[in-house]
Amino acid sequence: QVQLVESGGGLVQAGGSLRLSCAASGGIFSMYAMAWFRQVPGKEREFVAAISSRGAITDYADSVKGRFTISRDNAKNTVYLQMNSLKSEDTAVYNCAATQYGSRWSDPRRYNYWGQGTQVTVSS
Protein backbone atom coordinates (compact mmCIF):
# COMPACT_ATOMS: atom_id res chain seq x y z
CA GLN A 1 0.00 0.00 0.00
CA VAL A 2 1.43 3.34 -1.09
CA GLN A 3 0.64 6.50 0.82
CA LEU A 4 1.00 9.87 -0.91
CA VAL A 5 1.12 13.24 0.81
CA GLU A 6 1.14 16.49 -1.16
CA SER A 7 2.45 19.83 0.03
CA GLY A 8 3.39 23.23 -1.34
CA GLY A 9 0.04 24.62 -2.36
CA GLY A 10 -1.11 28.10 -1.49
CA LEU A 11 -2.20 31.49 -2.75
CA VAL A 12 -0.14 33.17 -5.44
CA GLN A 13 -0.65 36.08 -7.82
CA ALA A 14 -1.03 35.51 -11.54
CA GLY A 15 2.38 35.22 -13.15
CA GLY A 16 3.91 33.77 -10.02
CA SER A 17 5.34 30.36 -9.24
CA LEU A 18 4.74 27.47 -6.86
CA ARG A 19 6.45 24.14 -6.35
CA LEU A 20 4.34 21.20 -5.27
CA SER A 21 5.82 18.12 -3.63
CA CYS A 22 4.38 14.65 -3.18
CA ALA A 23 6.08 12.35 -0.68
CA ALA A 24 5.49 8.62 -1.01
CA SER A 25 5.78 5.88 1.56
CA GLY A 26 4.82 2.25 1.98
CA GLY A 27 5.99 0.96 -1.38
CA ILE A 28 8.87 0.82 -3.80
CA PHE A 29 8.63 4.33 -5.20
CA SER A 30 10.87 3.62 -8.18
CA MET A 31 8.40 1.01 -9.47
CA TYR A 32 5.67 3.58 -10.08
CA ALA A 33 5.03 6.17 -12.70
CA MET A 34 3.74 9.30 -11.03
CA ALA A 35 1.35 11.99 -12.11
CA TRP A 36 -0.34 15.19 -11.07
CA PHE A 37 -4.03 15.79 -11.66
CA ARG A 38 -6.16 18.74 -10.69
CA GLN A 39 -9.83 19.27 -10.03
CA VAL A 40 -12.17 22.21 -9.66
CA PRO A 41 -15.50 21.67 -7.87
CA GLY A 42 -18.17 20.67 -10.33
CA LYS A 43 -15.69 19.68 -13.03
CA GLU A 44 -13.98 16.46 -13.99
CA ARG A 45 -10.52 15.63 -12.79
CA GLU A 46 -7.94 16.93 -15.26
CA PHE A 47 -4.57 15.41 -16.12
CA VAL A 48 -1.67 17.80 -15.62
CA ALA A 49 1.63 15.93 -15.98
CA ALA A 50 3.20 12.50 -15.58
CA ILE A 51 6.68 11.04 -15.25
CA SER A 52 7.96 7.52 -15.77
CA SER A 53 9.29 5.40 -12.93
CA ARG A 54 12.93 6.33 -13.61
CA GLY A 55 12.19 9.85 -14.71
CA ALA A 56 13.25 9.44 -18.32
CA ILE A 57 9.85 10.14 -19.88
CA THR A 58 7.43 12.96 -19.13
CA ASP A 59 4.04 13.95 -20.47
CA TYR A 60 2.07 17.17 -20.08
CA ALA A 61 -1.38 18.48 -20.74
CA ASP A 62 -1.38 21.07 -23.52
CA SER A 63 -2.68 23.67 -21.09
CA VAL A 64 0.50 23.53 -18.97
CA LYS A 65 3.23 22.76 -21.52
CA GLY A 66 6.08 25.23 -21.28
CA ARG A 67 4.92 26.46 -17.85
CA PHE A 68 4.96 23.38 -15.61
CA THR A 69 7.74 20.85 -15.05
CA ILE A 70 7.37 17.48 -13.39
CA SER A 71 10.40 15.80 -11.82
CA ARG A 72 11.18 13.13 -9.27
CA ASP A 73 13.87 12.15 -6.81
CA ASN A 74 13.71 8.41 -6.23
CA ALA A 75 16.25 8.63 -3.41
CA LYS A 76 13.80 10.88 -1.55
CA ASN A 77 10.62 9.08 -2.69
CA THR A 78 9.28 12.41 -3.89
CA VAL A 79 7.77 13.81 -7.05
CA TYR A 80 7.60 17.54 -7.76
CA LEU A 81 5.59 19.89 -9.90
CA GLN A 82 7.22 23.23 -10.62
CA MET A 83 4.54 25.65 -11.77
CA ASN A 84 5.59 28.92 -13.40
CA SER A 85 3.63 31.72 -15.09
CA LEU A 86 0.55 30.72 -13.16
CA LYS A 87 -2.86 31.78 -14.42
CA SER A 88 -6.20 32.09 -12.66
CA GLU A 89 -7.41 29.03 -14.56
CA ASP A 90 -4.74 26.95 -12.80
CA THR A 91 -6.70 27.34 -9.57
CA ALA A 92 -7.66 23.85 -8.38
CA VAL A 93 -6.96 21.10 -5.91
CA TYR A 94 -3.85 19.28 -7.11
CA ASN A 95 -3.48 15.56 -6.43
CA CYS A 96 -0.55 13.30 -7.05
CA ALA A 97 -1.13 9.69 -8.08
CA ALA A 98 0.88 6.52 -8.61
CA THR A 99 0.51 3.81 -11.23
CA GLN A 100 2.32 0.71 -12.33
CA TYR A 101 1.04 1.13 -15.88
CA GLY A 102 3.46 2.36 -18.48
CA SER A 103 1.04 4.13 -20.80
CA ARG A 104 -2.16 6.17 -21.01
CA TRP A 105 -1.09 8.24 -18.06
CA SER A 106 -3.76 10.85 -18.68
CA ASP A 107 -6.49 8.37 -17.70
CA PRO A 108 -7.16 8.66 -13.94
CA ARG A 109 -8.56 5.10 -13.93
CA ARG A 110 -5.00 3.82 -14.49
CA TYR A 111 -3.90 4.99 -11.03
CA ASN A 112 -3.93 2.82 -7.97
CA TYR A 113 -3.00 5.35 -5.32
CA TRP A 114 -3.94 8.98 -4.71
CA GLY A 115 -2.96 11.68 -2.29
CA GLN A 116 -5.41 13.91 -0.43
CA GLY A 117 -4.58 16.95 -2.51
CA THR A 118 -3.26 20.46 -1.99
CA GLN A 119 -5.11 23.65 -2.89
CA VAL A 120 -3.57 26.06 -5.38
CA THR A 121 -5.26 29.43 -5.75
CA VAL A 122 -4.07 31.96 -8.34
CA SER A 123 -5.40 35.48 -7.94
CA SER A 124 -5.71 37.72 -10.97
Side-chain angles (χ1 to χ4, degrees):
Q1 190 81 1
V2 176
Q3 292 83 43
L4 303 173
V5 178
E6 302 94 336
S7 61
L11 175 64
V12 63
Q13 287 189 332
S17 298
L18 279 175
R19 188 196 197 201
L20 304 184
S21 299
C22 172
S25 62
I28 303 175
F29 182 67
S30 60
M31 289 179 58
Y32 294 90
M34 300 295 296
W36 289 94
F37 287 80
R38 64 188 182 187
Q39 190 166 23
V40 175
K43 294 189 176 181
E44 289 189 359
R45 183 170 282 166
E46 179 188 14
F47 170 75
V48 176
I51 188 166
S52 60
S53 60
R54 300 292 182 180
I57 302 170
T58 58
D59 189 23
Y60 296 92
D62 287 343
S63 58
V64 306
K65 277 181 184 175
R67 300 189 298 123
F68 290 11
T69 302
I70 189 170
S71 61
R72 65 189 295 160
D73 185 339
N74 284 354
K76 295 182 178 180
N77 289 354
T78 302
V79 62
Y80 306 98
L81 185 68
Q82 177 67 44
M83 305 186 295
N84 299 329
S85 302
L86 282 161
K87 306 175 182 179
S88 57
E89 51 263 45
D90 295 318
T91 295
V93 174
Y94 284 71
N95 296 89
C96 67
T99 180
Q100 290 184 290
Y101 287 105
S103 62
R104 292 171 53 195
W105 289 334
S106 63
D107 185 348
R109 296 171 297 179
R110 305 280 276 184
Y111 292 82
N112 310 94
Y113 305 103
W114 292 85
Q116 297 273 22
T118 185
Q119 176 71 45
V120 171
T121 302
V122 183
S123 63
S124 55

